[in-house]
Protein backbone atom coordinates (compact mmCIF):
# COMPACT_ATOMS: atom_id res chain seq x y z
CA UNK A 1 0.00 0.00 0.00
CA UNK A 2 2.85 2.39 0.86
CA UNK A 3 4.36 1.79 -2.58
CA UNK A 4 1.11 2.64 -4.37
CA UNK A 5 0.46 5.71 -2.22
CA UNK A 6 3.93 7.26 -2.55
CA UNK A 7 4.76 5.79 -5.98
CA UNK A 8 8.32 5.45 -4.73
CA UNK A 9 10.21 2.27 -3.98
CA UNK A 10 13.04 -0.08 -4.88
CA UNK A 11 13.01 -2.26 -7.97
CA UNK A 12 12.30 -5.36 -5.89
CA UNK A 13 9.25 -3.72 -4.33
CA UNK A 14 7.94 -2.67 -7.75
CA UNK A 15 8.55 -6.15 -9.17
CA UNK A 16 6.84 -7.82 -6.20
CA UNK A 17 3.80 -5.56 -6.54
CA UNK A 18 3.60 -5.90 -10.33
CA UNK A 19 4.00 -9.68 -10.18
CA UNK A 20 1.16 -9.84 -7.65
CA UNK A 21 -1.06 -7.85 -10.00
CA UNK A 22 -0.16 -10.10 -12.94
CA UNK A 23 -1.04 -13.21 -10.94
CA UNK A 24 -4.31 -11.61 -9.81
CA UNK A 25 -5.18 -11.12 -13.48
CA UNK A 26 -4.51 -14.80 -14.10
CA UNK A 27 -1.07 -14.63 -15.72
CA UNK A 28 1.60 -17.15 -14.78
CA UNK A 29 4.33 -14.80 -13.52
CA UNK A 30 7.75 -14.99 -11.92
CA UNK A 31 10.41 -12.68 -10.49
CA UNK A 32 13.66 -12.23 -12.39
CA UNK A 33 16.72 -11.56 -10.22
CA UNK A 34 19.88 -10.10 -11.73
CA UNK A 35 22.31 -10.61 -8.85
CA UNK A 36 24.34 -7.54 -9.87
CA UNK A 37 21.47 -5.37 -8.55
CA UNK A 38 18.10 -5.44 -10.35
CA UNK A 39 14.74 -7.25 -10.23
CA UNK A 40 11.95 -7.37 -12.81
CA UNK A 41 9.07 -9.64 -13.89
CA UNK A 42 8.30 -12.21 -16.58
CA UNK A 43 4.78 -13.25 -17.58
CA UNK A 44 3.95 -16.31 -19.65
CA UNK A 45 1.91 -15.49 -22.74
CA UNK A 46 -0.32 -18.45 -23.74
CA UNK A 47 -0.96 -16.86 -27.15
CA UNK A 48 2.76 -16.49 -27.91
CA UNK A 49 3.77 -19.63 -26.03
CA UNK A 50 6.71 -17.94 -24.29
CA UNK A 51 7.81 -15.92 -21.30
CA UNK A 52 7.78 -12.13 -21.82
CA UNK A 53 10.08 -9.61 -20.16
CA UNK A 54 8.30 -6.91 -18.09
CA UNK A 55 10.13 -4.17 -16.16
CA UNK A 56 7.68 -2.08 -14.07
CA UNK A 57 10.42 0.32 -12.91
CA UNK A 58 11.41 1.26 -16.45
CA UNK A 59 8.03 0.90 -18.15
CA UNK A 60 9.63 -1.35 -20.80
CA UNK A 61 8.48 -4.79 -21.93
CA UNK A 62 9.65 -7.59 -24.22
CA UNK A 63 13.20 -6.18 -24.50
CA UNK A 64 15.31 -8.63 -22.48
CA UNK A 65 18.62 -7.25 -23.83
CA UNK A 66 17.76 -3.83 -22.34
CA UNK A 67 20.25 -4.18 -19.49
CA UNK A 68 23.22 -5.29 -21.57
CA UNK A 69 22.57 -3.09 -24.60
CA UNK A 70 20.85 -0.05 -23.04
CA UNK A 71 22.25 0.05 -19.52
CA UNK A 72 25.67 -1.35 -20.56
CA UNK A 73 25.56 -3.77 -17.62
CA UNK A 74 28.12 -6.52 -17.15
CA UNK A 75 25.74 -9.38 -16.43
CA UNK A 76 26.75 -12.66 -14.80
CA UNK A 77 23.81 -14.51 -13.23
CA UNK A 78 20.09 -13.89 -13.92
CA UNK A 79 17.57 -16.23 -12.26
CA UNK A 80 13.84 -16.71 -12.81
CA UNK A 81 12.14 -17.44 -9.49
CA UNK A 82 8.66 -18.94 -9.63
CA UNK A 83 6.41 -20.86 -7.26
CA UNK A 84 7.13 -24.05 -9.22
CA UNK A 85 10.82 -23.71 -10.04
CA UNK A 86 14.01 -21.66 -10.29
CA UNK A 87 15.80 -21.34 -13.63
CA UNK A 88 18.98 -19.76 -14.96
CA UNK A 89 17.80 -17.40 -17.74
CA UNK A 90 20.98 -15.37 -18.15
CA UNK A 91 21.30 -16.33 -21.81
CA UNK A 92 17.98 -14.63 -22.60
CA UNK A 93 19.43 -11.27 -21.59
CA UNK A 94 22.76 -11.31 -23.40
CA UNK A 95 24.20 -11.41 -26.89
CA UNK A 96 27.74 -11.62 -25.47
CA UNK A 97 27.66 -15.04 -23.82
CA UNK A 98 31.44 -15.71 -23.93
CA UNK A 99 32.05 -12.47 -22.02
CA UNK A 100 29.31 -13.23 -19.51
CA UNK A 101 30.59 -16.78 -19.05
CA UNK A 102 34.01 -15.45 -18.09
CA UNK A 103 32.40 -13.56 -15.20
CA UNK A 104 30.45 -16.56 -13.87
CA UNK A 105 33.02 -17.73 -11.34
CA UNK A 106 30.98 -18.18 -8.14
CA UNK A 107 30.13 -21.82 -8.86
CA UNK A 108 30.83 -24.27 -11.67
CA UNK A 109 28.18 -24.54 -14.38
CA UNK A 110 27.35 -28.23 -13.70
CA UNK A 111 27.06 -27.59 -9.95
CA UNK A 112 24.76 -24.60 -10.54
CA UNK A 113 22.52 -26.62 -12.84
CA UNK A 114 22.30 -29.40 -10.23
CA UNK A 115 21.36 -26.97 -7.42
CA UNK A 116 18.62 -25.32 -9.49
CA UNK A 117 17.32 -28.73 -10.55
CA UNK A 118 17.12 -29.86 -6.92
CA UNK A 119 15.25 -26.70 -5.86
CA UNK A 120 12.80 -27.05 -8.76
CA UNK A 121 12.19 -30.72 -8.00
CA UNK A 122 11.48 -29.88 -4.36
CA UNK A 123 9.00 -27.13 -5.31
CA UNK A 124 7.14 -29.50 -7.63
CA UNK A 125 7.03 -32.64 -5.48
CA UNK A 126 3.40 -32.09 -4.40
CA UNK A 127 2.16 -31.46 -7.94
CA UNK A 128 0.48 -34.15 -10.01
CA UNK A 129 2.48 -36.12 -12.59
CA UNK A 130 0.45 -34.53 -15.37
CA UNK A 131 1.22 -30.97 -14.20
CA UNK A 132 4.92 -31.79 -13.71
CA UNK A 133 5.10 -33.24 -17.23
CA UNK A 134 3.55 -30.09 -18.70
CA UNK A 135 5.94 -27.84 -16.76
CA UNK A 136 8.97 -29.86 -17.86
CA UNK A 137 7.87 -29.65 -21.48
CA UNK A 138 7.50 -25.88 -21.13
CA UNK A 139 10.97 -25.69 -19.53
CA UNK A 140 12.52 -27.62 -22.44
CA UNK A 141 10.82 -25.39 -24.99
CA UNK A 142 12.02 -22.28 -23.17
CA UNK A 143 15.62 -23.48 -23.08
CA UNK A 144 15.51 -24.35 -26.79
CA UNK A 145 14.27 -20.87 -27.64
CA UNK A 146 16.89 -19.21 -25.42
CA UNK A 147 19.69 -21.21 -27.04
CA UNK A 148 18.47 -20.30 -30.55
CA UNK A 149 18.21 -16.59 -29.74
CA UNK A 150 21.56 -16.47 -27.92
CA UNK A 151 23.54 -16.25 -31.14
CA UNK A 152 20.97 -14.35 -33.20
CA UNK A 153 22.20 -11.20 -34.87
CA UNK A 154 21.56 -8.10 -32.80
CA UNK A 155 19.34 -5.51 -34.49
CA UNK A 156 21.56 -2.43 -34.59
CA UNK A 157 18.61 -0.25 -35.63
CA UNK A 158 16.87 -0.76 -32.27
CA UNK A 159 18.00 1.85 -29.75
CA UNK A 160 17.43 1.01 -26.08
CA UNK A 161 17.68 3.64 -23.33
CA UNK A 162 19.95 3.74 -20.33
CA UNK A 163 18.45 3.31 -16.87
CA UNK A 164 15.52 5.71 -16.50
CA UNK A 165 14.56 5.11 -12.86
CA UNK A 166 16.56 6.37 -9.89
CA UNK A 167 18.31 9.67 -9.17
CA UNK A 168 20.38 11.12 -11.99
CA UNK A 169 23.58 11.25 -9.93
CA UNK A 170 23.16 7.60 -8.92
CA UNK A 171 22.69 6.52 -12.54
CA UNK A 172 25.69 8.56 -13.69
CA UNK A 173 27.86 6.97 -10.97
CA UNK A 174 26.86 3.54 -12.28
CA UNK A 175 27.49 4.53 -15.95
CA UNK A 176 23.83 3.71 -16.67
CA UNK A 177 22.72 7.22 -17.64
CA UNK A 178 22.19 8.31 -21.26
CA UNK A 179 22.59 12.05 -21.69
CA UNK A 180 20.02 14.03 -23.68
CA UNK A 181 21.81 17.34 -23.68
CA UNK A 182 20.96 18.21 -27.29
CA UNK A 183 17.22 17.73 -26.61
CA UNK A 184 16.68 16.85 -30.27
CA UNK A 185 14.21 14.51 -31.92
CA UNK A 186 16.95 11.94 -32.38
CA UNK A 187 18.22 11.99 -28.80
CA UNK A 188 15.37 10.78 -26.62
CA UNK A 189 16.15 8.83 -23.47
CA UNK A 190 12.79 7.06 -23.81
CA UNK A 191 12.03 3.93 -25.80
CA UNK A 192 9.58 4.01 -28.68
CA UNK A 193 6.23 2.89 -27.27
CA UNK A 194 3.17 1.49 -29.01
CA UNK A 195 -0.24 2.84 -28.05
CA UNK A 196 -2.54 0.03 -26.94
CA UNK A 197 -5.65 2.11 -27.42
CA UNK A 198 -7.77 0.62 -30.20
CA UNK A 199 -10.46 0.02 -27.55
CA UNK A 200 -10.61 3.81 -26.99
CA UNK A 201 -11.39 4.39 -30.67
CA UNK A 202 -14.00 1.61 -30.65
CA UNK A 203 -15.69 3.12 -27.58
CA UNK A 204 -15.84 6.60 -29.11
CA UNK A 205 -17.22 5.22 -32.37
CA UNK A 206 -19.76 3.03 -30.56
CA UNK A 207 -21.47 6.06 -29.04
CA UNK A 208 -22.64 7.14 -32.49
CA UNK A 209 -25.58 4.66 -32.81
CA UNK A 210 -26.51 5.34 -29.18
CA UNK A 211 -26.71 9.09 -29.78
CA UNK A 212 -28.65 8.58 -32.99
CA UNK A 213 -31.30 6.65 -31.10
CA UNK A 214 -31.30 9.19 -28.28
CA UNK A 215 -32.08 11.93 -30.78
CA UNK A 216 -34.82 9.74 -32.28
CA UNK A 217 -36.48 8.64 -29.01
CA UNK A 218 -35.77 11.31 -26.39
CA UNK A 219 -38.19 14.22 -26.05
CA UNK A 220 -35.65 16.41 -24.25
CA UNK A 221 -32.03 16.80 -23.20
CA UNK A 222 -33.04 15.93 -19.64
CA UNK A 223 -34.59 12.63 -20.73
CA UNK A 224 -31.49 11.80 -22.80
CA UNK A 225 -29.25 12.41 -19.79
CA UNK A 226 -31.49 10.20 -17.61
CA UNK A 227 -31.21 7.35 -20.14
CA UNK A 228 -27.42 7.61 -20.12
CA UNK A 229 -27.44 7.62 -16.31
CA UNK A 230 -29.26 4.27 -16.44
CA UNK A 231 -26.42 3.00 -18.62
CA UNK A 232 -23.90 4.39 -16.13
CA UNK A 233 -25.60 2.42 -13.35
CA UNK A 234 -25.13 -0.78 -15.36
CA UNK A 235 -21.44 0.06 -15.80
CA UNK A 236 -21.04 0.71 -12.07
CA UNK A 237 -22.59 -2.66 -11.27
CA UNK A 238 -20.18 -4.31 -13.69
CA UNK A 239 -17.23 -2.41 -12.24
CA UNK A 240 -18.15 -3.60 -8.74
CA UNK A 241 -18.68 -7.24 -9.76
CA UNK A 242 -15.88 -9.87 -9.63
CA UNK A 243 -13.18 -9.37 -12.24
CA UNK A 244 -13.42 -12.85 -13.80
CA UNK A 245 -17.21 -13.17 -13.72
CA UNK A 246 -18.55 -9.67 -14.37
CA UNK A 247 -22.32 -9.82 -14.77
CA UNK A 248 -25.31 -7.61 -14.06
CA UNK A 249 -28.98 -7.65 -14.96
CA UNK A 250 -30.75 -4.94 -16.92
CA UNK A 251 -33.68 -4.39 -14.60
CA UNK A 252 -36.87 -2.91 -15.98
CA UNK A 253 -37.35 0.69 -14.89
CA UNK A 254 -40.89 2.01 -14.52
CA UNK A 255 -40.06 5.58 -15.54
CA UNK A 256 -40.44 6.84 -19.08
CA UNK A 257 -36.65 7.09 -19.40
CA UNK A 258 -36.31 3.44 -18.34
CA UNK A 259 -38.89 2.44 -20.95
CA UNK A 260 -36.93 4.28 -23.66
CA UNK A 261 -33.66 2.71 -22.49
CA UNK A 262 -35.08 -0.81 -22.78
CA UNK A 263 -36.47 0.08 -26.20
CA UNK A 264 -33.09 1.29 -27.49
CA UNK A 265 -30.95 -1.36 -25.75
CA UNK A 266 -29.95 -2.85 -29.10
CA UNK A 267 -28.19 0.41 -30.00
CA UNK A 268 -25.76 -0.24 -27.11
CA UNK A 269 -24.59 -3.55 -28.63
CA UNK A 270 -21.61 -1.95 -30.42
CA UNK A 271 -20.60 -0.23 -27.19
CA UNK A 272 -20.84 -3.49 -25.23
CA UNK A 273 -18.71 -5.16 -27.89
CA UNK A 274 -16.06 -2.42 -27.51
CA UNK A 275 -16.00 -3.30 -23.79
CA UNK A 276 -15.68 -7.05 -24.52
CA UNK A 277 -19.17 -7.53 -23.08
CA UNK A 278 -22.32 -9.16 -24.42
CA UNK A 279 -26.01 -9.37 -23.54
CA UNK A 280 -27.77 -12.66 -22.98
CA UNK A 281 -30.93 -14.03 -21.43
CA UNK A 282 -30.55 -14.59 -17.70
CA UNK A 283 -31.84 -17.58 -15.72
CA UNK A 284 -34.80 -15.53 -14.45
CA UNK A 285 -35.71 -14.29 -17.91
CA UNK A 286 -33.97 -10.94 -17.46
CA UNK A 287 -31.41 -9.52 -19.89
CA UNK A 288 -27.92 -9.91 -18.43
CA UNK A 289 -24.73 -8.06 -19.42
CA UNK A 290 -21.65 -10.25 -18.95
CA UNK A 291 -18.12 -10.91 -20.20
CA UNK A 292 -17.74 -11.86 -23.85
CA UNK A 293 -13.98 -12.61 -23.88
CA UNK A 294 -10.79 -11.74 -21.99
CA UNK A 295 -11.69 -10.08 -18.64
CA UNK A 296 -8.51 -7.99 -18.83
CA UNK A 297 -9.85 -6.19 -21.92
CA UNK A 298 -13.00 -5.25 -20.03
CA UNK A 299 -11.02 -4.00 -17.03
CA UNK A 300 -8.90 -1.76 -19.25
CA UNK A 301 -11.87 -0.42 -21.22
CA UNK A 302 -14.30 0.33 -18.35
CA UNK A 303 -12.50 3.49 -17.07
CA UNK A 304 -12.42 4.83 -20.64
CA UNK A 305 -16.17 4.42 -21.19
CA UNK A 306 -16.94 6.16 -17.88
CA UNK A 307 -14.98 9.22 -18.96
CA UNK A 308 -16.43 9.16 -22.49
CA UNK A 309 -19.90 8.94 -20.96
CA UNK A 310 -19.19 12.01 -18.83
CA UNK A 311 -18.26 13.87 -22.02
CA UNK A 312 -21.41 12.79 -23.81
CA UNK A 313 -23.68 13.90 -20.95
CA UNK A 314 -21.80 17.21 -20.68
CA UNK A 315 -22.10 17.86 -24.43
CA UNK A 316 -25.81 17.06 -24.38
CA UNK A 317 -26.23 19.62 -21.62
CA UNK A 318 -24.31 22.25 -23.59
CA UNK A 319 -26.04 21.85 -26.96
CA UNK A 320 -28.89 24.20 -27.89
CA UNK A 321 -31.26 21.34 -28.65
CA UNK A 322 -31.02 17.60 -29.02
CA UNK A 323 -30.46 17.10 -32.74
CA UNK A 324 -27.67 15.95 -35.06
CA UNK A 325 -26.62 19.52 -35.89
CA UNK A 326 -26.26 20.72 -32.31
CA UNK A 327 -24.70 17.52 -30.94
CA UNK A 328 -21.33 17.57 -32.72
CA UNK A 329 -19.43 15.41 -30.22
CA UNK A 330 -19.56 12.08 -32.10
CA UNK A 331 -18.38 13.63 -35.36
CA UNK A 332 -15.01 14.48 -33.80
CA UNK A 333 -14.55 10.98 -32.37
CA UNK A 334 -15.51 8.64 -35.20
CA UNK A 335 -12.11 8.62 -36.94
CA UNK A 336 -9.81 8.81 -33.96
CA UNK A 337 -6.26 7.59 -34.67
CA UNK A 338 -5.03 4.66 -32.60
CA UNK A 339 -2.32 2.00 -32.23
CA UNK A 340 0.46 4.40 -33.22
CA UNK A 341 4.10 4.50 -32.10
CA UNK A 342 4.95 7.25 -29.62
CA UNK A 343 8.30 8.84 -28.82
CA UNK A 344 8.84 11.67 -26.34
CA UNK A 345 11.71 13.84 -25.17
CA UNK A 346 11.26 12.37 -21.69
CA UNK A 347 8.78 10.71 -19.37
CA UNK A 348 8.21 10.07 -15.67
CA UNK A 349 8.33 6.40 -14.68
CA UNK A 350 6.39 4.38 -13.98
CA UNK A 351 3.13 6.37 -14.13
CA UNK A 352 3.81 9.22 -16.55
CA UNK A 353 4.93 7.38 -19.69
CA UNK A 354 4.33 8.90 -23.12
CA UNK A 355 1.45 6.64 -24.15
CA UNK A 356 -0.59 8.01 -21.22
CA UNK A 357 -1.25 11.02 -23.46
CA UNK A 358 -3.45 8.83 -25.67
CA UNK A 359 -4.97 6.17 -23.41
CA UNK A 360 -8.46 7.66 -23.16
CA UNK A 361 -8.64 7.99 -19.38
CA UNK A 362 -8.09 11.04 -17.20
CA UNK A 363 -6.66 8.84 -14.42
CA UNK A 364 -3.24 9.00 -16.11
CA UNK A 365 -1.07 11.63 -17.78
CA UNK A 366 2.14 11.97 -19.71
CA UNK A 367 4.65 13.78 -17.53
CA UNK A 368 7.92 15.27 -18.79
CA UNK A 369 10.19 15.70 -15.73
CA UNK A 370 12.53 18.07 -17.61
CA UNK A 371 9.79 19.95 -19.44
CA UNK A 372 10.99 23.36 -18.28
CA UNK A 373 14.00 22.90 -20.58
CA UNK A 374 11.76 22.23 -23.60
CA UNK A 375 10.09 19.03 -24.72
CA UNK A 376 8.22 17.27 -27.52
CA UNK A 377 6.09 14.21 -28.22
CA UNK A 378 5.77 12.44 -31.57
CA UNK A 379 2.84 10.31 -32.71
CA UNK A 380 3.81 8.07 -35.63
CA UNK A 381 1.21 6.16 -37.63
CA UNK A 382 2.11 2.49 -38.12
CA UNK A 383 2.41 0.72 -41.46
CA UNK A 384 3.64 3.80 -43.36
CA UNK A 385 0.01 4.90 -43.64
CA UNK A 386 -0.57 8.54 -44.54
CA UNK A 387 -3.38 10.21 -42.58
CA UNK A 388 -4.96 13.64 -42.63
CA UNK A 389 -5.17 15.21 -39.20
CA UNK A 390 -7.86 17.89 -39.07
CA UNK A 391 -8.46 18.15 -35.31
CA UNK A 392 -6.76 17.31 -32.03
CA UNK A 393 -7.67 17.50 -28.37
CA UNK A 394 -5.81 18.35 -25.17
CA UNK A 395 -6.87 17.90 -21.56
CA UNK A 396 -5.60 19.74 -18.52
CA UNK A 397 -4.12 17.41 -15.89
CA UNK A 398 -4.96 17.06 -12.21
CA UNK A 399 -2.25 19.35 -10.86
CA UNK A 400 -1.17 22.99 -11.00
CA UNK A 401 -2.67 25.28 -13.69
CA UNK A 402 0.78 26.70 -14.47
CA UNK A 403 1.65 23.31 -15.94
CA UNK A 404 -1.15 23.48 -18.50
CA UNK A 405 -0.31 23.95 -22.21
CA UNK A 406 -0.29 27.62 -23.20
CA UNK A 407 1.75 28.16 -26.38
CA UNK A 408 2.59 25.32 -28.77
CA UNK A 409 3.07 24.17 -32.34
CA UNK A 410 1.76 21.05 -34.03
CA UNK A 411 3.77 19.70 -36.97
CA UNK A 412 3.45 16.87 -39.48
CA UNK A 413 6.09 14.84 -41.29
CA UNK A 414 5.77 12.92 -44.55
CA UNK A 415 9.14 11.18 -44.25
CA UNK A 416 9.38 9.80 -40.71
CA UNK A 417 10.72 12.95 -39.07
CA UNK A 418 13.41 14.11 -41.53
CA UNK A 419 11.44 17.27 -42.24
CA UNK A 420 8.38 18.88 -40.66
CA UNK A 421 5.49 21.08 -41.82
CA UNK A 422 3.54 23.41 -39.55
CA UNK A 423 -0.03 22.18 -39.03
CA UNK A 424 -1.19 24.43 -36.21
CA UNK A 425 0.16 27.08 -33.87
CA UNK A 426 -1.53 28.27 -30.69
CA UNK A 427 -0.65 31.00 -28.19
CA UNK A 428 -2.12 32.26 -24.91
CA UNK A 429 -4.37 29.23 -24.44
CA UNK A 430 -5.99 28.87 -21.00
CA UNK A 431 -7.71 25.94 -19.26
CA UNK A 432 -10.37 27.08 -16.78
CA UNK A 433 -10.44 23.88 -14.71
CA UNK A 434 -8.84 20.50 -14.13
CA UNK A 435 -9.59 17.69 -16.60
CA UNK A 436 -10.94 20.18 -19.12
CA UNK A 437 -10.94 18.99 -22.72
CA UNK A 438 -10.30 21.49 -25.51
CA UNK A 439 -10.56 20.61 -29.20
CA UNK A 440 -8.54 22.48 -31.82
CA UNK A 441 -9.06 22.44 -35.57
CA UNK A 442 -5.88 22.08 -37.59
CA UNK A 443 -5.32 25.27 -39.57
CA UNK A 444 -3.24 23.61 -42.33
CA UNK A 445 -4.42 20.02 -42.75
CA UNK A 446 -2.49 17.56 -44.89
CA UNK A 447 -1.54 13.90 -45.12
CA UNK A 448 1.34 12.82 -42.88
CA UNK A 449 3.05 9.81 -41.33
CA UNK A 450 4.05 11.51 -38.06
CA UNK A 451 2.63 14.25 -35.85
CA UNK A 452 4.77 16.23 -33.38
CA UNK A 453 3.62 18.45 -30.50
CA UNK A 454 6.05 20.86 -28.82
CA UNK A 455 5.88 24.16 -26.88
CA UNK A 456 6.85 27.57 -28.17
CA UNK A 457 7.78 28.65 -24.65
CA UNK A 458 8.87 26.43 -21.80
CA UNK A 459 6.16 27.36 -19.35
CA UNK A 460 4.75 23.94 -18.50
CA UNK A 461 6.02 20.46 -17.75
CA UNK A 462 3.03 18.15 -18.06
CA UNK A 463 0.36 17.58 -20.64
CA UNK A 464 -2.50 15.13 -20.96
CA UNK A 465 -3.82 14.87 -24.51
CA UNK A 466 -5.93 12.85 -26.87
CA UNK A 467 -5.06 12.71 -30.55
CA UNK A 468 -8.04 12.44 -32.90
CA UNK A 469 -8.40 12.56 -36.68
CA UNK A 470 -11.50 13.15 -38.79
Amino acid sequence: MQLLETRKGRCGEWANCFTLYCRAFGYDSRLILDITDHVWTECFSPSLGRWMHRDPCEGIYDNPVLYEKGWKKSLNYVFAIAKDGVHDVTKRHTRKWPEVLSRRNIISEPALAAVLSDITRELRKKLSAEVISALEERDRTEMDVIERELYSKDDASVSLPGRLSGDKEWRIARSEFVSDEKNSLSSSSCPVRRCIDDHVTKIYSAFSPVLSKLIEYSPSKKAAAEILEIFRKILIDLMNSPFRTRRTSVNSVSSSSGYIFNKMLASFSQLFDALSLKSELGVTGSIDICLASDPVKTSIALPVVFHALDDVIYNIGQCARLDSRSLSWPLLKLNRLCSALVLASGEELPFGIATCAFDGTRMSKWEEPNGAAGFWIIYQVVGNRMVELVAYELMSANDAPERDPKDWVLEGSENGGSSWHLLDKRTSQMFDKRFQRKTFTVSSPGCYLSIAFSPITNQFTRVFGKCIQV
Side-chain angles (χ1 to χ4, degrees), residues 192-207:
V192 176
R193 301 191 183 278
R194 181 181 293 274
C195 283
I196 310 298
D197 63 336
D198 59 324
H199 62 285
V200 182
T201 296
K202 290 178 181 177
I203 288 171
Y204 285 165
S205 298
F207 268 104

Side-chain angles (χ1 to χ4, degrees), residues 311-461:
D311 282 351
V312 172
I313 294 174
Y314 174 80
N315 278 272
I316 287 176
Q318 295 298 307
C319 67
R321 57 186 180 278
L322 194 61
D323 58 32
S324 57
R325 291 185 178 181
S326 298
L327 191 58
S328 59
W329 180 87
L331 300 179
L332 286 175
K333 307 291 187 179
L334 287 176
N335 296 311
R336 177 189 181 274
L337 289 173
C338 64
S339 304
L341 301 177
V342 178
L343 179 65
S345 55
E347 58 186 7
E348 187 70 33
L349 294 171
F351 293 102
I353 64 174
T355 50
C356 287
F358 309 97
D359 63 5
T361 169
R362 58 175 174 254
M363 294 189 299
S364 63
K365 63 188 175 187
W366 167 50
E367 184 174 351
E368 226 292 12
N370 301 309
F375 66 90
W376 45 263
I377 187 168
I378 297 176
Y379 187 92
Q380 182 173 337
V381 182
V382 296
N384 292 322
R385 181 167 58 95
M386 302 286 283
V387 297
E388 182 179 8
L389 186 81
V390 301
Y392 62 102
E393 188 176 76
L394 297 178
M395 175 184 279
S396 58
N398 63 324
D399 43 22
E402 56 267 24
R403 287 175 165 172
D404 290 341
K406 183 179 180 182
D407 308 319
W408 66 81
V409 293
L410 190 76
E411 298 173 296
S413 176
E414 302 169 344
N415 49 25
S418 297
S419 59
W420 295 89
H421 305 278
L422 181 67
L423 298 180
D424 195 39
K425 179 179 179 180
R426 303 281 171 165
T427 59
S428 303
Q429 298 297 313
M430 301 296 293
F431 288 78
D432 301 325
K433 55 186 177 181
R434 302 301 86 211
F435 303 121
Q436 180 184 3
R437 294 176 182 266
K438 298 188 75 171
T439 301
F440 303 92
T441 302
V442 173
S443 56
S444 302
C447 292
Y448 301 98
L449 289 169
S450 308
I451 310 297
F453 175 91
S454 57
I456 299 173
T457 57
N458 304 329
Q459 80 296 330
F460 66 107
T461 60

Side-chain angles (χ1 to χ4, degrees), residues 22 132 169 213 277 298 349 389 393 407 427:
C22 291
I132 292 175
E169 292 74 15
K213 287 297 180 182
L277 297 170
T298 303
L349 294 171
L389 186 81
E393 188 176 76
D407 308 319
T427 59

